[in-house]
C-alpha cells in the first residue's frame, strides 16, 4: 500500500518481555533460594526426629542447632519470597506501561479504516486481557515454575543422601505420573484444533439462527431453522464426550498417583518391607514420611504454570501482531494546504491489495460546493469518501487538499481541514463536553455549548444528570440519533472547511430525523461537502452528482443533466421516486 511503512517491525512475540528479562532471571534466582530455604525446615524436622528418637544420651546441642537452622531458613525464605515478588511485580508494571504506550503510539498511526468493530474488539482484548495475561506470566508463572522445580530437587538431594534405595521407591509415583500425564496429552494439539472447529460450527449455527430469527418466524420456518443448530450442538457434545471420557479416567488416575498420600503409601510399604529384612531402620524411613510427598506435590503447579505460559504466549503473539500492523507513513516534509480545493487524481484503492474497490477516480471538489456520491450498494461510495480523511491510503494516484497530498500533512493539519460525520458514530467513554471538543480540546465551554445548540442537542444534554459533564455510557445513554447529533456538534466545533458526510439510511424516529436534518443544514453551510447519498431526493440540489458503479464514476453532472442522460442515475432515481421530496443536504 502506498504510504504505508512496514519497515519498523516490532519484536517477535517471544521478545516482548525482553526489556525485563534480566529482572526475571534475578527474581527466579532469589525464588530458587526461597524454595531451598522452604524445604530446609522439613529436613530439620526429619533430622530433629532422628536426634530425638536416637539412642540416649540426647544430643541437645545438635537439636538446638537444627532448630535454629530451621528458624533461620524460614526467615530467609520470607525475605526472598518478598524480594522475588517485588522484583517481578515492579518489572511487570514497567512492562505493562511500556507495552500499552507502544500500542497506543502505534495504533495512533494505524489507518483509521482499520478500526472496524472486529478490530476494535482486538484492540480492547490486546490492551486489557492480553496485557493482563502477560502479567500472570511475568508476575507469577516463572517464579512458580522455579519453586515447583527446585523444591522437589532439594528434597530429592536430601533423600538420596539418607537412603537411595528408598528414594528410588519414592520416585516410582513420579515416573508413573509423568507417563500418565504424557499419555493424557498425546494428540492434544489435534484434539484442541478439532475442538475449536466443532465450537466454531456451533457458534456459526447459533449466530445464523439468532440473526435469522425474525425472518424465520415471519415465514413460519422456526422448526427447520432449529435443526442445523441442534445438529451442530449434538455433533459437538458427541465429540466432546468421546474426548473427555478417555481424558477423565487418565486425569483422575494421574491425580491419584501424584497425590502426596500415594507417595506416602509407597514409601511406607517399601520402608516396612525393608525394615523387616533389615535393609533399613525406622529412623531412616522417617525423613521419607516427611519429605517424599514434596516430590510429587509441585507437579500440578508445574502443569498450571505451563498452561499459563501457553496462554501468555498466545497473548504475546496477539500483542506483537498488533504492534506489527502496517501504519501510515509520517510525512517527511509536513506541508499545510492552501485553501480547501480537493482533487482526487487517478485514484485507485484495493482493500486487499488486489480487488479494486474504487478505480481511476478523477474528481475535483471546488471550495464551498456540494458533491454527492450515489450508486448501487457496494459501488464504492463509502470507500471513496473515506479515502479523503485518510481512513486508508490510496493504492494508486493521489488525493490533494489545497494542492498538497494528504500524505504530506500531519494528522493535525489534515483533520483541521477535513472533518467527517459517518453513521457509525463513535463516542468516547468520557464527558459529553470532551466528546464534542475532541477536535479542539482547548475550546471554551461557551463554544462547545454553541456547537451543541446548533446541532440541536443542547436541550437533551442539559436534561442529563450532570449536563455537559455527564459521561457517555455511565450517566449519559444516548439514542443513535442523539449520538449522531453529538458527532455533528463535534464537526461544527472542529470547524474544518471540508466535510465528508455519510447521509443516514434510517432514523429511529421522525423527530430525530428532523433534528438531524436541521443540524446538518447548519453544519454543511459554507463548507466544501462530499456526501454519500443513500436517498436521492436529498441531493437533487447538489453542484455535482457522481454516479459510481463497480468502483468507477460512470456518470457525473447536476440532477437535471443526469436525468437527461437517461443512464444509471435515471434508473436509480426511478427506483427512489415515491420517497420524501425534501431536499436537505444543499446549501
Ligand atoms: P458502498 O458504500 O457504495 O456500498 P463500499 O465502498 O462500502 O460501497 O464497498 C465497495 C467495495 O469494497 C465492495 O465490494 C465491498 O465489499 C468492499 N469493501 C468495503 N469495505 C471493505 C473492507 N473494510 N474490507 C474489504 N472490502 C471492503
Amino acid at each position: 500500500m502506498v504510504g504505508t511503512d512496514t519497515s519498523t517491525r516490532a519484536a517477535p512475540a517471544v521478545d516482548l518481555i525482553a526489556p525485563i528479562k534480566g529482572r526475571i532471571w534475578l527474581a527466579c534466582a532469589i525464588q530458587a533460594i526461597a524454595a531451598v530455604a522452604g524445604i530446609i525446615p522439613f529436613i530439620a524436622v526429619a533430622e530433629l526426629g532422628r536426634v530425638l528418637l536416637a539412642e540416649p544420651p540426647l544430643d541437645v546441642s545438635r537439636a538446638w542447632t537444627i532448630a535454629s537452622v530451621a528458624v533461620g531458613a524460614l526467615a530467609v525464605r520470607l525475605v526472598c519470597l518478598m524480594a522475588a515478588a517485588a522484583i517481578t511485580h515492579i518489572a511487570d508494571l514497567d512492562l505493562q506501561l511500556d507495552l500499552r504506550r507502544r500500542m497506543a503510539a502505534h495504533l495512533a498511526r494505524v489507518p483509521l479504516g482499520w478500526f472496524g468493530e472486529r478490530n476494535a474488539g482486538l484492540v480492547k482484548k490486546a490492551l486489557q486481557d492480553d496485557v493482563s495475561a502477560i502479567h500472570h506470566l511475568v508476575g507469577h508463572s516463572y517464579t512458580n515454575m522455579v519453586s515447583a522445580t527446585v523444591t522437589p530437587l532439594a528434597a530429592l538431594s536430601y533423600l538420596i543422601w539418607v537412603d537411595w534405595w528408598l528414594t528410588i521407591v519414592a520416585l516410582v509415583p513420579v515416573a508413573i505420573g509423568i507417563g500418565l500425564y504424557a499419555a493424557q496429552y498425546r494428540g492434544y494439539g489435534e484434539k484442541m484444533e478439532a475442538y475449536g472447529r466443532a465450537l466454531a460450527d456451533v457458534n456459526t449455527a447459533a449466530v445464523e439462527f439468532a440473526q435469522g430469527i425474525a425472518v424465520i418466524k415471519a415465514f413460519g420456518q422456526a422448526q427447520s431453522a432449529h435443526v442445523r443448530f441442534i445438529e451442530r450442538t449434538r455433533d459437538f457434545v458427541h465429540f466432546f464426550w468421546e474426548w473427555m471420557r478417555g481424558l477423565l479416567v487418565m486425569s483422575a488416575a494421574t491425580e491419584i498417583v501424584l497425590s502426596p498420600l500415594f507417595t506416602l503409601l509407597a514409601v511406607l510399604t517399601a520402608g516396612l518391607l525393608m525394615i523387616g529384612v533389615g535393609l533399613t531402620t525406622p529412623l531412616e524411613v522417617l525423613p521419607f514420611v516427611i519429605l517424599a510427598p514434596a516430590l510429587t506435590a509441585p507437579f500440578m503447579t508445574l502443569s498450571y504454570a505451563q498452561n499459563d505460559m501457553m496462554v501468555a504466549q498466545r497473548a504475546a503473539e496477539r500483542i506483537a501482531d498488533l504492534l506489527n500492523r502496517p501504519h501510515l507513513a509520517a510525512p517527511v516534509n509536513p506541508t499545510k494546504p492552501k485553501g480547501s480545493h480537493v482533487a482526487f487524481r487517478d485514484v485507485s484503492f484495493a482493500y486487499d491489495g488486489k480487488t479494486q474497490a474504487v478505480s481511476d477516480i478523477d474528481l475535483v471538489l471546488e471550495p464551498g460546493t456540494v458533491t454527492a456520491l450515489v450508486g448501487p450498494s457496494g459501488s464504492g461510495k463509502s470507500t471513496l469518501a473515506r479515502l479523503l480523511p485518510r481512513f486508508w491510503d490510496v493504492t494508486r494516484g493521489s488525493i490533494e487538499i489545497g494542492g498538497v497530498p494528504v500524505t504530506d500533512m500531519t494528522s493535525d493539519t489534515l483533520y483541521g481541514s477535513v472533518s467527517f460525520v459517518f453513521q457509525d458514530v463513535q463516542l468516547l467513554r468520557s464527558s459529553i463536553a470532551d466528546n464534542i471538543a475532541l477536535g479542539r480540546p482547548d475550546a471554551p465551554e461557551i463554544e462547545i455549548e454553541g456547537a451543541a445548540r446548533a446541532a440541536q442537542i443542547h436541550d437533551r444534554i442539559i436534561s442529563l444528570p450532570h449536563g455537559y459533564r455527564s459521561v457517555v455510557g455511565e450517566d449519559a445513554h444516548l439514542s443513535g440519533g442523539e449520538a449522531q447529533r453529538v458527532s455533528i456538534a463535534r464537526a461544527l466545533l472542529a470547524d474544518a472547511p471540508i466535510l465528508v458526510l455519510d447521509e443516514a439510511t434510517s432514523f429511529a424516529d421522525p423527530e430525530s430525523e428532523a433534528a438531524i436534518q436541521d443540524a446538518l443544514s447548519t453544519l454543511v453551510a459554507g463548507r466544501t461537502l462530499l456526501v454519500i447519498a443513500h436517498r436521492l431526493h436529498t441531493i437533487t440540489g447538489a453542484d455535482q452528482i457522481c454516479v459510481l458503479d463497480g468502483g468507477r464514476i460512470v456518470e457525473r453532472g447536476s440532477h437535471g443533466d443526469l436525468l437527461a442522460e437517461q443512464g444509471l442515475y435515471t434508473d436509480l432515481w426511478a427506483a427512489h421516486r415515491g420517497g420524501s421530496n425534501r431536499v436537505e443536504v444543499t446549501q
Side-chain angles (χ1 to χ4, degrees):
M1 194 188 284
V2 173
T4 301
D5 169 12
T6 52
S7 57
T8 346
R9 291 272 171 200
V14 279
D15 287 346
L16 271 190
I17 57 167
I20 53 158
K21 221 155 84 181
R23 281 188 275 173
I24 292 182
W25 276 112
L26 177 64
C28 286
I30 297 174
Q31 185 80 16
I33 299 173
V36 175
I39 213 76
I40 287 175
F42 290 96
I43 296 176
V45 171
E47 285 300 309
L48 210 51
R50 298 215 287 178
V51 170
L52 298 177
L53 298 174
E55 297 289 319
L58 182 64
D59 187 346
V60 179
S61 112
R62 183 169 157 76
W64 274 114
T65 311
I66 293 171
S68 317
V69 169
V71 173
L74 273 181
V76 169
R77 178 173 167 78
L78 192 70
V79 172
C80 287
L81 281 182
M82 286 196 309
I87 292 171
T88 54
H89 280 78
I90 292 171
D92 174 53
L93 286 177
D94 289 348
L95 179 70
Q96 287 197 30
L97 186 64
D98 177 55
L99 278 180
R100 289 198 167 109
R101 275 191 182 147
R102 276 166 62 193
M103 277 196 269
H106 186 83
L107 290 171
R109 295 176 59 198
V110 164
L112 280 185
W114 182 80
F115 293 92
E117 210 166 274
R118 194 180 76 88
N119 291 335
L122 278 183
V123 172
K124 185 245 154 210
K125 190 167 166 45
L127 277 169
Q128 283 184 3
D129 308 350
D130 292 341
V131 172
S132 303
I134 291 188
H135 154 77
H136 210 264
L137 178 75
V138 173
H140 305 276
S141 305
Y142 287 122
T143 44
N144 282 354
M145 275 181 108
V146 167
S147 278
T149 317
V150 173
T151 306
L153 285 180
L156 191 65
S157 313
Y158 168 69
L159 293 179
I160 290 174
W161 175 74
V162 175
D163 186 328
W164 63 271
W165 271 114
L166 259 182
T167 308
I168 291 175
V169 175
L171 282 175
V172 169
V174 179
I176 300 175
I178 291 174
L180 284 172
Y181 197 75
Q184 206 174 315
Y185 282 93
R186 196 170 301 134
Y188 189 75
E190 292 98 77
K191 286 283 186 198
M192 271 313 275
E193 269 174 34
Y195 172 79
R197 279 197 302 274
L199 199 60
D201 280 351
V202 173
N203 285 341
T204 314
V207 169
E208 272 173 19
F209 177 56
Q211 280 177 346
I213 226 156
V215 183
I216 289 159
K217 275 196 172 168
F219 291 95
Q221 294 294 317
Q223 206 53 42
S224 67
H226 266 115
V227 174
R228 198 175 134 73
F229 176 57
I230 290 170
E231 273 174 6
R232 292 287 164 273
T233 315
R234 201 178 295 137
D235 289 350
F236 177 75
V237 170
H238 178 72
F239 163 82
F240 197 64
W241 174 238
E242 284 298 311
W243 184 24
M244 283 300 135
R245 210 168 43 176
L247 214 58
L248 281 177
V249 177
M250 289 289 231
S251 102
T254 315
E255 208 150 305
I256 290 172
V257 170
L258 289 177
S259 68
L261 204 63
F262 189 85
T263 314
L264 204 58
L265 226 58
V267 288
L268 275 179
T269 313
L272 281 177
L273 289 174
M274 285 167 73
I275 292 168
V277 294
L279 272 176
T280 191
T281 61
L283 281 188
E284 307 253 289
V285 177
L286 180 66
F288 286 85
V289 174
I290 296 170
L291 278 150
L295 297 181
T296 52
F299 224 84
M300 285 298 144
T301 315
L302 270 179
S303 137
Y304 292 139
Q306 195 193 8
N307 196 43
D308 288 344
M309 302 272 264
M310 268 157 56
V311 171
Q313 180 63 21
R314 265 183 237 124
E317 277 164 15
R318 277 191 295 269
I319 292 175
D321 189 45
L322 210 61
L323 289 172
N324 283 335
R325 295 268 5 130
H327 54 68
L328 298 177
V332 185
N333 295 311
T335 316
K336 289 198 188 305
K338 295 171 202 71
S340 62
H341 179 277
V342 176
F344 288 74
R345 299 196 195 285
D346 192 24
V347 165
S348 295
F349 173 72
Y351 284 99
D352 55 3
K354 292 190 290 282
T355 333
Q356 304 282 349
V358 290
S359 320
D360 311 327
I361 304 287
D362 279 298
L363 175 63
V364 169
L365 317 183
E366 294 295 345
T369 61
V370 175
T371 301
L373 302 176
V374 302
S377 175
S379 58
K381 305 180 292 292
S382 310
T383 306
L384 184 59
R386 280 170 165 78
L387 288 176
L388 178 54
R390 230 182 149 189
F391 269 55
W392 308 101
D393 269 346
V394 297
T395 320
R396 208 187 65 210
S398 74
I399 300 175
E400 292 169 11
I401 297 175
V404 178
V406 288
T407 46
D408 284 353
M409 299 178 198
T410 61
S411 49
D412 281 356
T413 308
L414 177 63
Y415 298 116
S417 293
V418 185
S419 60
F420 47 86
V421 174
F422 292 140
Q423 289 186 52
D424 48 343
V425 177
Q426 301 290 331
L427 294 186
L428 307 180
R429 202 178 182 86
S430 180
S431 73
I432 297 274
D434 289 349
N435 267 287
I436 295 178
L438 202 60
R440 278 181 55 203
D442 51 355
E445 266 178 36
I446 184 99
E447 286 189 36
I448 296 175
E449 201 180 304
R453 276 183 201 279
Q456 310 278 326
I457 191 68
H458 171 74
D459 291 345
R460 174 73 180 102
I461 296 174
I462 53 171
S463 75
L464 293 168
H466 301 104
Y468 280 84
R469 295 283 133 223
S470 307
V471 173
V472 172
E474 284 177 16
D475 40 16
H477 298 280
L478 301 179
S479 72
E482 289 163 351
Q484 191 140 30
R485 278 179 276 156
V486 171
S487 83
I488 293 172
R490 182 189 283 170
L492 270 169
L493 189 70
D495 200 23
I498 303 161
L499 176 68
V500 183
L501 179 67
D502 190 351
E503 183 207 43
T505 43
S506 60
F507 294 95
D509 54 86
E511 200 185 324
S512 206
E513 166 163 13
I516 290 174
Q517 293 299 357
D518 287 348
L520 283 179
S521 323
T522 317
L523 178 61
V524 301
R527 295 181 209 277
T528 307
L529 180 66
L530 181 63
V531 55
I532 305 166
H534 301 283
R535 301 178 308 161
L536 298 193
H537 59 269
T538 63
I539 46 91
T540 50
D543 298 284
Q544 66 173 334
I545 300 172
C546 295
V547 185
L548 279 120
D549 195 18
R552 293 172 190 277
I553 299 181
V554 292
E555 292 170 21
R556 73 175 89 197
S558 68
H559 176 69
D561 296 343
L562 290 174
L563 282 185
E565 267 185 41
Q566 292 288 310
L568 178 58
Y569 185 78
T570 315
D571 296 344
L572 292 170
W573 177 249
H576 274 268
R577 235 177 357 204
S580 156
N581 283 324
R582 289 174 55 191
V583 178
E584 291 94 345
V585 190
T586 53
Q587 294 177 359

